[in-house]
Structures are given as structure tokens and as C-alpha cells.
Amino acid sequence: MRKPFVFVTRQVPEESLVALKVVAEVEVWPEEEIPVPRELLLEKAKIASGLYTMLSDKIDEELLNQAPHLKVVANLAVGFDNIDVKTASERGIAVCNTPDVLSDTTADLTFALLMATGRRVVEAVDYVKQGNWKNWAPLLLAGTDIHHKTIGVVGMGRIGSAVAKRATGFDMEILYHNRSRNIEAETKLGASYVGFDELIERSDYIVCLAPLTEETADLFTYEVFQSMKSSAIFINASRGGLVVEEDLIKALSEEIIAGAGLDVYREEPISVDHPLLRFSNVVALPHIGSASDETRHEMASLVSRNIAHVLRGDKPEAIVNEEVFK
């Protein structure tokens, strides 16, 4: 009997596909950085039992309507806003992701981004490389302290909690806002639950780690940036869609906030002439939150295991729409 067909939309480590190849015929789009063309994705979806996907792949109603054999869509990410989960659930299609495995790695990067922005690390590196360093000066590239400052975490999930844990090592006051209380973060990390407005007004570092939903889309507007301290630094390691980018650009232009550290954007990748790159006080990274060698290999393997479980008729290790298996 012929094995079910699974299409992988980006080149991933070959060893991560071992578990998947036991149960399925696997075809891989042979590019690591170039997304699979939409037309080809639609074509492969028509015959696929499983799709191994990236955040850049739009798995919408149009695609799902043309995928009669599809049983599972598994993202190489903790996020899944690229997938129409409602339609998938209605059709009995499992939607999988890769939570937990990337929490610490993404928290490491988020805190590194916070520190790099606060202490002007990238500016300092460029200063040396461009031959501008002539002598020591008392306030040369003086940034702002991290220790004993107030960090405000918007989205106290797994990654937010891991960032807050790192903040305790810097004796920071930890504020957080979430759709529900995180009692563990309060008791173990000393975090304080506050309203969104209070967090924005009191925090020295505002760290966005909330998921992109209908409620959080365009959460950070010009008015929100106006409510921040003029010395505040904004960090976004979640999704670009939470920020009205034009408003952030305006806030930076008017020096309403002190700087921004960004790993995500509304449209990715951004071009070299993107307005945000004009600012020396913006640290811009290419969406590498979970990009450690160890974590990306484990994420890739987890996606394969998730798909393999579903194709065998078993519940996957990580599933977004659990109702499919009830």
C-alpha cells in the first residue's frame, strides 16, 4: 500500500525527517531561504496528507478547500497565525506547532536584544569598525542601565516567563500584562500583574511577546508610544502585526521613545531601505528568535514527529486544535 504524501515547504536538516520518512513519502522544497511559490504549494496541497510548513506559508481557506486528503498541517514555529485554524478544525485537520522546545532560546535572544539596544552595542561595534574611535570619552556611546530598571512583559506565556526569569538576575522590577494571571510567574519570579496602560507608563523596557490574535493586532499605536517614558526602549520578539509600524517610525522620529530592538516586522524580510533602518537607536534582527543550532534541529524533528503521529492516527506531541482528537 502506498504511503501518504507529505510536502515540506523549506529545506530542513535531513536527519530531522527520519521519523517522517518511516510513515510517508516526503518531498522537500529544495530552498532554505526562498519560500515555496504559492502556486506550487496549492498544487502539492491537493495531493498531500500532511504539510510541513513555515510561518511564511499562508494556509488559508483557499488552500484547505483544495486539499481533500489533508490530515495535518505542522508549523516549524510556536506561532500559527499563518494557518486558518477554524477552517482546519471544521475539516478535521490537525494543526501542530513547536512550543516549549524554543522558549529558553527565544528568551535568550530577546534579552540579548534588550541589552544590545539599551547599551547601544550595535552602534558601538559600527563605531569601531568605521574607524571613528579616536579616544576614550566619559559619555562616549553611553547607553542606559539594565539592572534595577523596570521591565514590562506584554504576554507572560512560556517565553515571557523565561525572559522574566532572566530579568531577576539583573534585579529588575518585573511587571506583566496577560489575558490571564500567571500565578507561577508572580510567586516564583516576583512579577506583578498590572493593566496594559500602567505597564506602558511605568516600564523602562517594554517587551512584546504576546501572540498575534484579533485582540492583539495593532496593539502598539502612536498613542501607546506617547504614553511610554521618553527613556523607554521597546522590544518586539513576537510578531510584527502587533505594532503599527508607521506609528513606531513616527515615535522614533519625534524622539518620543529612546530606542527599539526588533526581531519581527509586519512584512518580512524587510528591505535595506526600510525606514526603521535609518535610526541608529534601532537594533534590527532578521527574525532569529529561536535560531540556535540545537533548538532549530529539535524543532524540525518535533514537526516530523507531530505529522508522523497524526498519520498513524495518534495524537501529536504538540497540537493547537485539540478538539480534532476528541
Side-chain angles (χ1 to χ4, degrees):
M1 187 175 178
R2 189 173 181 178
K3 291 180 180 178
F5 172 68
V6 173
F7 183 62
V8 182
T9 66
R10 201 73 62 88
Q11 189 179 74
V12 295
E14 182 64 29
E15 62 270 21
S16 69
L17 298 174
V18 171
L20 189 54
K21 288 184 175 180
V22 172
V23 300
E25 294 292 336
V26 178
E27 181 181 340
V28 180
W29 168 245
E31 297 287 349
E32 187 174 4
E33 295 187 24
I34 302 173
V36 61
R38 174 70 174 177
E39 296 75 16
L40 181 60
L41 179 57
L42 289 172
E43 179 185 323
K44 298 300 180 182
K46 292 176 182 178
I47 59 172
S49 295
L51 291 176
Y52 183 132
T53 53
M54 312 294 138
L55 277 170
S56 55
D57 301 317
K58 192 174 183 181
I59 311 300
D60 54 9
E61 187 175 8
E62 178 194 19
L63 182 146
L64 296 171
N65 282 339
Q66 300 178 51
H69 310 291
L70 196 59
K71 295 181 179 179
V72 54
V73 179
N75 254 4
L76 184 73
V78 66
F80 47 87
D81 46 274
N82 60 310
I83 303 172
D84 184 342
V85 178
K86 181 176 180 293
T87 299
S89 298
E90 290 171 352
R91 302 183 189 287
I93 299 168
V95 175
C96 302
N97 62 344
T98 58
D100 297 326
V101 64
L102 53 70
S103 297
D104 279 321
T105 301
T106 304
D108 286 347
L109 187 282
T110 302
F111 212 85
L113 186 55
L114 180 154
M115 294 183 69
T117 309
R119 291 299 305 271
R120 302 176 66 181
V121 171
V122 176
E123 286 181 78
V125 169
D126 289 343
Y127 191 80
V128 174
K129 287 185 175 181
Q130 292 166 7
N132 296 322
W133 188 24
K134 306 304 181 184
N135 212 327
W136 183 89
L139 292 178
L140 175 64
L141 287 162
T144 183
D145 282 334
I146 290 101
H147 65 275
H148 298 135
K149 292 298 181 75
T150 299
I151 184 172
V153 180
V154 180
M156 189 64 91
R158 297 179 183 91
I159 299 170
S161 296
V163 168
K165 182 179 179 181
R166 283 148 180 78
T168 62
F170 288 79
D171 296 318
M172 301 182 84
E173 180 183 6
I174 302 168
L175 308 179
Y176 80 95
H177 182 73
N178 206 43
R179 60 184 175 186
S180 58
R181 296 279 291 270
N182 187 327
I183 303 303
E184 185 176 3
E186 294 178 22
T187 56
K188 291 187 176 181
L189 304 174
S192 299
Y193 178 80
V194 296
F196 180 74
D197 292 342
E198 182 179 350
L199 181 148
I200 293 301
E201 292 169 4
R202 289 178 54 190
S203 299
D204 298 299
Y205 294 90
I206 295 94
V207 181
C208 176
L209 288 166
L212 178 59
T213 65
E214 290 182 1
E215 292 74 26
T216 62
D218 297 333
L219 178 63
F220 288 90
T221 62
Y222 181 71
E223 290 71 28
V224 171
F225 291 118
Q226 280 185 310
S227 298
M228 295 179 185
K229 297 178 180 179
S230 60
S231 58
I233 289 174
F234 175 68
I235 305 294
N236 189 10
S238 176
R239 290 288 179 270
L242 279 85
V243 180
V244 180
E245 224 159 66
E246 295 82 2
D247 290 358
L248 174 58
I249 292 165
K250 184 178 180 182
L252 290 164
S253 297
E254 298 176 359
E255 299 183 357
I256 287 173
I257 60 174
L262 309 170
D263 189 42
V264 291
Y265 313 88
R266 293 189 78 94
E267 298 291 337
E268 298 181 3
I270 61 172
S271 63
V272 70
D273 59 352
H274 193 287
L276 282 168
L277 301 185
R278 297 199 309 258
F279 300 98
S280 61
N281 56 342
V282 170
V283 178
L285 303 181
H287 202 152
I288 56 170
S290 61
S292 73
D293 190 62
E294 300 91 336
T295 294
R296 285 287 170 87
H297 276 78
E298 177 53 31
M299 288 170 65
S301 296
L302 177 55
V303 176
S304 287
R305 298 197 302 272
N306 280 335
I307 296 173
H309 279 303
V310 174
L311 295 183
R312 289 193 187 102
D314 301 324
K315 186 176 179 180
E317 295 176 40
I319 184 166
V320 174
N321 53 347
E322 293 200 20
E323 62 271 21
V324 171
F325 277 84
K326 289 181 180 178

